[in-house]
Amino acid sequence: MASLRESADRALKMLRTLPRVQIGNLRPNPNSKKSAKRGRAQHGGDKHGAGNKGSGQRQNYMRLGYETGNNPFYLRFPHEPYYKGHHMRRQYPPISLLQLQVMLDTNRINSTEPIDITTLCNTGLLDLKPTSMEFGFQLTDEGADKFKSKICIEVQYAKEAVIAAIERNGGVIRTAFYDMKSLQVLVNPRKWFEKGEPIPKRMLPPQDAIAYYTAVENRGYLADPEEISKHRLVLAQKYGYQIPKIEADPDYEVLTTMKDARQIFFGLEPGWVVNLKDKCIIKPKKFPSDT
């Protein structure tokens, strides 16, 4: 009993000397609370909390185009009218006469056969993407002095110097328009033939291209052939060379082989079906009303 009374007195004496219990004095007992496990990488430490964002840490970046403020950049800066509609312009990847001569010399192109978009794409050196608004090839005059081949070629755009270089060697050149669907058939004919679908008709050029493809100066495929033969002589006199006579040429049939305005392939008419499996061509029947 005496020991209990002494311990109680010591406890009361200690309480008299200790400060009053307040919120500021409260502390958890030692080892009563375990610290949370530290995270790894961007989740580790105390600097990545919701209220402690550092520079470049879990920021909310602006939407693309709104870097200059609440308004997008294309509203803050003045527009340029000439840039309007640029994605709708027809593109014509260039091919130089020098490149064409090299492909002829290396037998990638047969000069005894007509040359068109399919022939150029089959070389493996040129690629045409109709979905990127590429509507054919343009033939440039680079290497015009070194071009010595006699060919029959069809391109989509050519200048006067290029036409003179082709015709000086006894060749024939035509500029022709192809619509988007016709280009997709020409670029990869095998893929189209495997579908088993008939060859479509080539569409006529749009309004802004009719003037170019009907001009004899451009050797347009819609121009009058008689007027083109007359202008061949005019161009020869202008550039000072003797124009060869196509009529007396042994390759007359190849040089005069041209496509119809609605035709896509040489020797194949619209509506025909090319069967690669049976290696035959299926032609539609003609009814008396069609003749």
Side-chain angles (χ1 to χ4, degrees):
M1 294 295 293
S3 60
L4 291 174
R5 190 178 294 110
E6 291 178 359
S7 59
D9 292 342
R10 286 198 297 272
L12 291 174
K13 186 178 180 180
M14 184 174 61
L15 286 174
R16 293 189 186 97
T17 57
L18 290 175
R20 175 172 287 186
V21 177
Q22 299 176 354
I23 294 178
N25 298 337
L26 296 177
R27 295 287 186 278
N29 294 329
N31 300 325
S32 64
K33 184 178 180 182
K34 293 184 179 180
S35 60
K37 186 178 179 180
R38 179 184 175 92
R40 291 179 174 272
Q42 60 179 346
H43 305 292
D46 299 332
K47 296 182 179 180
H48 299 274
N52 297 308
K53 290 183 179 179
S55 176
Q57 297 173 357
R58 295 172 63 179
Q59 291 185 6
N60 293 324
Y61 293 99
M62 297 181 182
R63 288 182 293 170
L64 187 63
Y66 286 78
E67 296 86 352
T68 56
N70 293 329
N71 292 330
F73 71 93
Y74 56 84
L75 295 181
R76 291 175 60 88
F77 298 101
H79 71 285
E80 299 177 356
Y82 71 86
Y83 195 69
K84 185 178 180 181
H86 70 285
H87 59 287
M88 298 299 293
R89 295 177 183 172
R90 292 185 292 274
Q91 307 294 328
Y92 300 95
I95 307 172
S96 65
L97 286 171
L98 182 61
Q99 288 178 288
L100 185 60
Q101 184 65 61
V102 171
M103 287 187 285
L104 288 164
D105 294 340
T106 55
N107 296 326
R108 288 183 177 270
I109 296 178
N110 189 359
S111 61
T112 61
E113 296 180 356
I115 302 171
D116 61 352
I117 292 177
T118 303
T119 308
L120 296 173
C121 290
N122 284 342
T123 60
L125 302 176
L126 302 171
D127 187 21
L128 191 68
K129 300 177 181 178
T131 55
S132 299
M133 300 301 292
E134 294 181 354
F135 277 76
F137 296 104
Q138 61 169 315
L139 198 57
T140 62
D141 57 356
E142 182 186 356
D145 298 335
K146 300 179 181 179
F147 189 78
K148 303 298 179 183
S149 299
K150 180 179 61 176
I151 58 173
C152 175
I153 187 170
E154 179 189 79
V155 291
Q156 282 58 62
Y157 184 82
K159 293 183 178 179
E160 187 180 72
V162 175
I163 298 173
I166 297 291
E167 295 179 349
R168 183 180 62 230
N169 297 294
V172 176
I173 182 172
R174 288 290 184 272
T175 55
F177 174 83
Y178 290 93
D179 58 283
M180 186 71 68
K181 187 175 182 179
S182 301
L183 287 169
Q184 292 174 350
V185 177
L186 276 171
V187 169
N188 194 346
R190 185 179 185 86
K191 183 178 180 181
W192 179 266
F193 294 154
E194 287 176 349
K195 294 180 180 179
E197 298 183 8
I199 301 173
K201 282 186 178 181
R202 179 174 23 160
M203 298 290 104
L204 293 175
Q207 283 296 121
D208 59 346
I210 288 180
Y212 182 84
Y213 292 109
T214 55
V216 294
E217 297 84 2
N218 304 323
R219 303 297 188 265
Y221 74 115
L222 298 178
D224 188 0
E226 295 183 0
E227 294 295 328
I228 290 179
S229 62
K230 293 178 182 179
H231 200 270
R232 285 169 60 91
L233 180 59
V234 174
L235 192 63
Q237 293 174 349
K238 180 178 180 180
Y239 281 83
Y241 59 86
Q242 188 69 29
I243 183 171
K245 292 184 178 181
I246 301 179
E247 294 80 6
D249 197 292
D251 299 328
Y252 175 76
E253 294 184 0
V254 177
L255 295 175
T256 55
T257 301
M258 295 296 167
K259 299 178 184 178
D260 185 72
R262 294 288 192 170
Q263 194 176 1
I264 297 178
F265 296 105
F266 287 106
L268 297 176
E269 298 293 335
W272 291 5
V273 178
V274 178
N275 190 338
L276 296 179
K277 183 178 180 180
D278 299 334
K279 297 182 180 180
C280 64
I281 298 176
I282 304 173
K283 302 179 182 179
K285 292 183 178 180
K286 290 187 177 180
F287 296 95
S289 59
D290 298 335
T291 57

